[in-house]
Amino acid sequence: MRRLLLLGALTCLPAVAADGVSLERKGHRIEVQIGGRPFTAFHFGPEATKPYLHPLRAMDGTVVTRGYPMERVAGEQTDHPHHRGVWFSHGEVNGVDFWANEIEQRARGNKGTIELDRMSAMESGSEEGRIHASFAWNDPTGARLLTERRLMRFRRSGQDNVVDLDIELTAVADSVHFGDTKEGTFGVRIATELEEPHLRAKGMARTGRIVNAEGLSSESGTWGKRSAWVDYSGRIDGKPMGIAIFDHPSNPKHPTYWHVRGYGLFAANVFGEHDFHADESRDGGITLAKGEKLRFRYRVLVHPGRTRDADLAKKHADWARNTSR
């Protein structure tokens, strides 16, 4: 049986059936289990300059996202501390950086924060679990530029662990401009072993390969290109597995551009056109008047096997068809 918990009852949620999806709030995080095993946790406390999921796990429990900066893992690189698990933000909103906005980065530029406004509900169930929350995108003075409404759905589909995100941004300021920069927007920092081999790689072997919906591969073939989905797969502890991100057909400028790097950054970004096209005359920015909205929907799918084994074209088509509204 599915049960809905409103804000006053969010402190603890008993598990549902062992094969279901259970959510439990522990302070400033919500832990998600599928089939009685940890899948991920949603972090939104005052120590987080933007909300994020960490870690993300495959069905067998293997962690497929980088630990740093939340935890130290031997052999991991410690670059880009703002790459926290799975997150949504942008590097230039009315001149404010919500992307590289860690506390230690505030001396370099105009940094904003994305803060919890209201945890509306969370729901466990036999088929899926849900978190529904709203956030304030505040500039360094504390003035609100945007309100974000976010619905996250967690489920298992076959052997895949899945997160669906439905994000609606509403302009609170009189004018809100999302600037043209590659530093955005919906990102995942993958586990070190899933990275592509690259010059900075040290320690553990990198086994990853990037592939998009058009069959283009590697950073050089996929970075800055538009595609409905991209997959990053390799081996962790000898086991083949991967992470795919799906862009919804209703999203602005679908199919999105991809800011995807061989060193492990994996991001969908519709705004960075002058970077992606190497053309300063292009401007991929979007401006909202007060009260106007932008809506983004994404699916993150953690799958066993390499890209060729995951049947991602069909899975993307099925998801798009079943979420047409």
Side-chain angles (χ1 to χ4, degrees), residues 145-148 168-173 176 288 291-294:
L145 303 180
L146 293 159
T147 294
E148 175 190 336
E168 184 180 78
L169 304 173
T170 303
V172 175
V176 176
L288 302 179
E292 288 187 331
K293 302 177 186 293
L294 277 178

Side-chain angles (χ1 to χ4, degrees), residues 3 16 42 61 72 98-99 120 124 160 162 175 194 253 258:
R3 63 180 66 181
V16 295
F42 184 50
R72 296 281 182 151
F98 292 91
W99 180 259
S120 301
S124 294
D160 303 331
V162 177
S175 178
L194 292 183
K253 302 185 192 177
W258 294 89

Side-chain angles (χ1 to χ4, degrees), residues 209-217 222 227 229:
R209 185 168 182 256
I210 306 166
V211 178
N212 70 11
E214 288 66 41
L216 300 174
S217 63
T222 59
S227 191
W229 56 263

